[in-house]
Amino acid sequence: MNHLQEYHEPKKAQNEASAKRRVVIIGSGIAAVSAAETLRRLNFDGVISIYSESAQLPYERRLLSKQLYHKETQLSLHDEKWYGEKDIALHLKQRVIHIDTKRKELHLANHQLVPYEECIIATGAKAKQPHDFYDYENLLTYRSFEDAVKLSEYAKRNRRCIVVGGGILGLELACLLADTHLEVTLIEQLPSLLAKHMDPAAAHLLHQYLKTEKIHVMLNTQISNLYGLSRAEGAELTNKKYINTDFIVYAIGIQADLDFLKNTDIKHDQLIHVDRTMRTSTAHIYACGDAVECEGVHASLWKNAEQQGAIAAMTICNKQQEYENAIQPLLFQHDQFSCFMAGNIRQSDQYIECLDEENSKFEKYTYQNGMCSGALLINRKEQIPYAWNTYQSKAAYPFAGK
């Protein structure tokens, strides 16, 4: 006897629902919600169902840091009423374990089968975890609502921590945790923070700012061993130094969880391959957000995911729109310190820079083949529109021929 059960769409008569085109969306991040919202905006009158492993209403992940300040913040992208008004069936705590692309069905962990005509994969990505040290209960990551709540509890109960990873997320976490009066050590295995986006002058200003925030930065090193019973109480580094700690937060990148695509014909490796219309290699399957790469480019930023979700919906509705792999700028900001980064700042034929070390200000533009290829600003927020326009327009090197 087959242990899988047929799925019945709630709130609709079975014959009515089956007569309509059915779109299922896997995931509940901004890409998923953008796809559902765009389908309704384009007057799609079929069945739209969102399946999410999370217990939370789809939320604004960029606001999760408010949890560390214990502030009452509205995180949800929309309230529950909105989904009802848009006739979007939201199924929380429902994990998809397989897609049968031949029969066009989702297999859920609770043994239900969910039929579809079109399927959008928008499962996003999860935080990377260290391959070792899994047995310690106080090793944390920071990506989901549950992660933020757990980190907030640890921050309230303890006085010292280690943040591993010197990218944007690692910097933000280090500063946020320092604001809660924790003693913070920030560890980066490369010679510089934000190593892909900084030059030495800018990196020095950033490092000096973190000192004023009482964040201890350790570069060119990583954790080689941890000590403790059920909890990590100390970390030995590759530079032979030892740090006592109450907990450790890893900010070492993200990875897509694509186990449910095993034994399918959907082309993927670490990411799902899509074209500019968000079609995958399999008919009637689309993908968008942090789990995809488009023409070899992985853009794991909020705005890109939102746009990709909308384009997946447009494709289903036969609206001709293609995704452009536009690189978005990066911005790190904390209190009075700001850092804006766009493009490639480390390789160039020519460059223009201005350093005001006394006021901790820096501005740099790089040029490749006579056109702007990168922009970097430290504490020059008023220049961000100009810098972004200069980079986007590939402005010509102003001193050419001089």
Side-chain angles (χ1 to χ4, degrees), residues 109-122:
N110 64 3
H111 307 307
Q112 286 186 326
L113 288 177
V114 181
Y116 68 85
E117 274 73 55
E118 314 288 346
C119 173
I120 300 174
I121 302 171

Side-chain angles (χ1 to χ4, degrees), residues 36-174:
E37 193 166 356
T38 302
L39 284 168
R40 287 297 183 233
R41 182 169 54 80
L42 296 174
N43 299 316
F44 176 83
D45 64 353
V47 176
I48 302 175
S49 301
I50 295 176
Y51 289 84
S52 172
E53 193 171 348
S54 172
Q56 308 297 324
L57 284 172
Y59 55 85
E60 166 68 273
R61 185 163 44 81
R62 296 176 297 181
L63 296 179
L64 285 179
S65 61
K66 304 298 183 185
Q67 292 292 320
L68 288 176
Y69 291 117
H70 322 302
K71 293 180 179 178
E72 291 295 326
T73 305
Q74 178 59 45
L75 297 179
S76 300
L77 292 167
H78 300 289
D79 60 21
E80 196 169 355
K81 181 181 177 183
W82 181 88
Y83 294 94
E85 291 173 345
K86 297 295 182 182
D87 198 13
I88 297 169
L90 185 60
H91 304 270
L92 302 177
K93 297 191 287 187
Q94 297 290 337
R95 183 165 64 92
V96 175
I97 59 173
H98 180 64
I99 303 177
D100 186 334
T101 59
K102 301 285 192 298
R103 295 173 59 87
K104 296 172 75 173
E105 292 173 333
L106 305 185
H107 292 198
L108 304 185
N110 64 3
H111 307 307
Q112 286 186 326
L113 288 177
V114 181
Y116 68 85
E117 274 73 55
E118 314 288 346
C119 173
I120 300 174
I121 302 171
T123 46
K126 61 182 181 181
K128 282 185 180 179
Q129 295 180 328
H131 295 297
D132 304 319
F133 320 134
Y134 280 153
D135 291 338
Y136 290 108
E137 65 184 38
N138 59 337
L139 304 186
L140 312 180
T141 55
Y142 186 80
R143 179 75 178 174
S144 67
F145 177 83
E146 292 77 13
D147 290 340
V149 170
K150 188 174 183 180
L151 181 58
S152 177
E153 291 302 312
Y154 268 86
K156 284 190 289 187
R157 298 198 309 261
N158 296 287
R159 67 180 184 86
R160 57 194 175 187
C161 71
I162 296 172
V163 175
V164 180
I168 291 284
L169 180 58
L171 289 172
E172 290 178 344
L173 284 173

Side-chain angles (χ1 to χ4, degrees), residues 192 198-207 346 353 362 364 376:
S192 169
M198 287 284 192
D199 75 350
H204 175 71
L205 293 179
L206 174 59
H207 201 148
R346 298 185 67 85
E353 68 175 31
F362 182 69
K364 183 173 184 175
L376 172 61

Side-chain angles (χ1 to χ4, degrees), residues 10 14 39 84 101 149 163 203 233 258 302 327 354 365 375:
Q14 185 176 0
L39 284 168
T101 59
V149 170
V163 175
E233 298 173 1
L258 302 179
W302 185 270
I327 297 175
C354 178
Y365 301 90

Side-chain angles (χ1 to χ4, degrees), residues 12-22 45-47 117:
K12 288 183 178 290
Q14 185 176 0
N15 59 354
E16 177 191 355
S18 61
K20 290 187 174 183
R21 195 175 178 197
R22 188 188 298 267
D45 64 353
V47 176
E117 274 73 55

Side-chain angles (χ1 to χ4, degrees), residues 352 367 396-400 402:
I352 302 169
Y367 295 83
Y397 182 62
F399 304 119
K402 296 183 180 179

